Each structure stands twice: as structure tokens, then as C-alpha cells.
């Protein structure tokens, strides 16, 4: 049988094919012998905070000093995800977004809101950090014009400010065109095409809203 884990702010003791100590401040796990396990339990029973910390330091089990009383500061913004289209042309049987509309009237993200999000990304990003803009939906290509305008705007601004920016898109593939492929290539997009099986399996799970299968259309669009 395994003993119950022992918790303390400075260390946690637990069993997993032997005795182990987790030092929370630094997220480090040490395999320890029975004598160390016994000593830590004794210190815990004495409720000696100073003694515990001193013993951990003397035995190289001290914290890394990452956790203190300073308030947490927000990290720099490095990426944003734009749900550029709150609509979709598929009627996937398991869609958590209620066929891309999230339970409300289907609509596109206004270009000015998308641009404002990009401005926020640039304003809060540090010069040394790369940036990424991910386009999501619904089906993001349902708002192709805004997607392309935002991409051009972000790339032009990144070039002016000597910053590196990357783009990505997750699409169901049904609206892809040769023009889209050229655009994605020009701006270095990482493209993810969603499928759920091959042939009739995908057709059953991811049909168009009218019930027609989508698999052949997707494959035709992504083939060279």
C-alpha cells in the first residue's frame, strides 16, 4: 500500500516506486531515501518553519526563490487568436460552437475590431518577442477579405517596426482556393485543415449544413 501524500508549503512528500519530495517553488521532484523522508516528517511534526527551510538548504533541496510576495506581472502579449468569422458552412455533428455561430446570429468580425486587436498585440509586445496571429472561426475563410486585410496590415507594420510576425489558420478546407494558397504562401501561413476520418466517416460527422458530404470537396481543394 502507498502512504498518503504529505503537504507543506515548502515540500510535498509522496510515493511512486519509492519516496519522493516535490519542492513547489521551482517544480522540482527528488527521489529521496527513507532517512530523508523520516527527517522531513519529523520537522513537519515540530511545525518548525525556520528549521524546515534551513534543513532544505543544507541538503540542497531548497526552493529556487521564484515565489515571493511581489505581485504577479502580466507577461508580454505574443499572440492573438482572431475568431474572424462567427459562422460556418458545415454542420458537424459534435460542434461545440453550435455549427460555428456559438448560439447567436451568424456574423463576421468587423475589420476595425480585428485591426484594433492587432494594434493591441503590437502595443503590448516586447521588441525581442516574436508574434503570431491565428485565424479561427467558425470558418475563417467565410470572412476572407477581412482576413487578408488584417494580414497585410500586420505584416506591413511588423516590417516597419522590424518585428517578426507569423500567421496561422485553422480551416475546414471547403472554401480553399488557389488564390488562398498563393496568399498563405506569400505570408508564410501555417495551415491546418480539419478532417474527421476518411471518406464516408468524415461525410457523416462533418457534412455541409444541407447534409451533403464534405470530404471530396476538401480533398479536391487541398490537392496540388
Amino acid at each position: 500500500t502507498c502512504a498518503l501524500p504529505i503537504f507543506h508549503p515548502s515540500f510535498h512528500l509522496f510515493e511512486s516506486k519509492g519516496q519522493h519530495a516535490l519542492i513547489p517553488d521551482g517544480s522540482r521532484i527528488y527521489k529521496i531515501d527513507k532517512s530523508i523522508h523520516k527527517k522531513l516528517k519529523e520537522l513537519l511534526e515540530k511545525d518548525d518553519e525556520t528549521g524546515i527551510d534551513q534543513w532544505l538548504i543544507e541538503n540542497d533541496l531548497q526552493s529556487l526563490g521564484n515565489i515571493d510576495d511581489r505581485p504577479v506581472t502580466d507577461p508580454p502579449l505574443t499572440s492573438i487568436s482572431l475568431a474572424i468569422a462567427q459562422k460556418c458552412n458545415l454542420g458537424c455533428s459534435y460542434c461545440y460552437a453550435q455549427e460555428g455561430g456559438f448560439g447567436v446570429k451568424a456574423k463576421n468580425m468587423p475589420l476595425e475590431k480585428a485591426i484594433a486587436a492587432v494594434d493591441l498585440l503590437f502595443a503590448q509586445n516586447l521588441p525581442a518577442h516574436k508574434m503570431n496571429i491565428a485565424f479561427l472561426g467558425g470558418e475563417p475563410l467565410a470572412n476572407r477579405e477581412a482576413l487578408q486585410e488584417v494580414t497585410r496590415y500586420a505584416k506591413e507594420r511588423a516590417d516597419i517596426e522590424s518585428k517578426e510576425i507569423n500567421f496561422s489558420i485553422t480551416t475546414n478546407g471547403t472554401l480553399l482556393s488557389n488564390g488562398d494558397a498563393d496568399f498563405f504562401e506569400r505570408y508564410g501561413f501555417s495551415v491546418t485543415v480539419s478532417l474527421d476520418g476518411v471518406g464516408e466517416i468524415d461525410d457523416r460527422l462533418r457534412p455541409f449544413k444541407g447534409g451533403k458530404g464534405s470530404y471530396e470537396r476538401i480533398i479536391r481543394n487541398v490537392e496540388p
Side-chain angles (χ1 to χ4, degrees), residues 80-101:
I80 57 174
S81 297
L82 295 179
I84 199 79
Q86 193 170 308
K87 60 173 67 171
C88 187
N89 58 340
L90 294 187
C92 301
S93 59
Y94 51 81
C95 182
Y96 68 89
Q98 297 171 283
E99 300 185 352

Side-chain angles (χ1 to χ4, degrees), residues 39-113:
K39 180 62 178 181
L40 288 173
K41 286 185 66 176
E42 291 175 351
L43 290 170
L44 188 60
E45 291 170 358
K46 294 179 180 179
D47 196 24
D48 182 1
E49 294 294 332
T50 302
I52 289 174
D53 291 339
Q54 184 62 37
W55 192 91
L56 290 173
I57 292 172
E58 291 173 354
N59 289 272
D60 294 323
L61 296 174
Q62 73 272 21
S63 74
L64 296 180
N66 295 331
I67 300 175
D68 52 33
D69 293 329
R70 290 175 296 180
V72 177
T73 58
D74 292 332
L77 189 61
T78 59
S79 64
I80 57 174
S81 297
L82 295 179
I84 199 79
Q86 193 170 308
K87 60 173 67 171
C88 187
N89 58 340
L90 294 187
C92 301
S93 59
Y94 51 81
C95 182
Y96 68 89
Q98 297 171 283
E99 300 185 352
F102 295 89
V104 298
K105 184 179 178 180
K107 59 184 177 180
N108 286 330
M109 175 182 284
L111 177 59
E112 59 271 17
K113 284 192 176 181

Side-chain angles (χ1 to χ4, degrees), residues 2 10 16 23 27 32 37-40 60 71 77 86 114 125 128-129 144 152 155 208 220:
C2 292
S10 297
S16 179
I23 308 300
S27 298
I32 58 177
H37 186 270
K38 180 181 179 181
K39 180 62 178 181
L40 288 173
D60 294 323
L77 189 61
Q86 193 170 308
N125 181 264
H129 287 79
R144 180 181 285 108
R152 294 188 190 98
K155 185 62 170 67
F208 287 102
R220 185 169 64 248

Side-chain angles (χ1 to χ4, degrees), residues 161-176:
E161 299 183 20
S162 298
K163 290 188 174 183
E164 183 176 344
I165 190 164
N166 300 307
F167 304 95
S168 61
I169 182 172
T170 300
T171 172
N172 63 35
T174 61
L175 301 179
L176 280 170

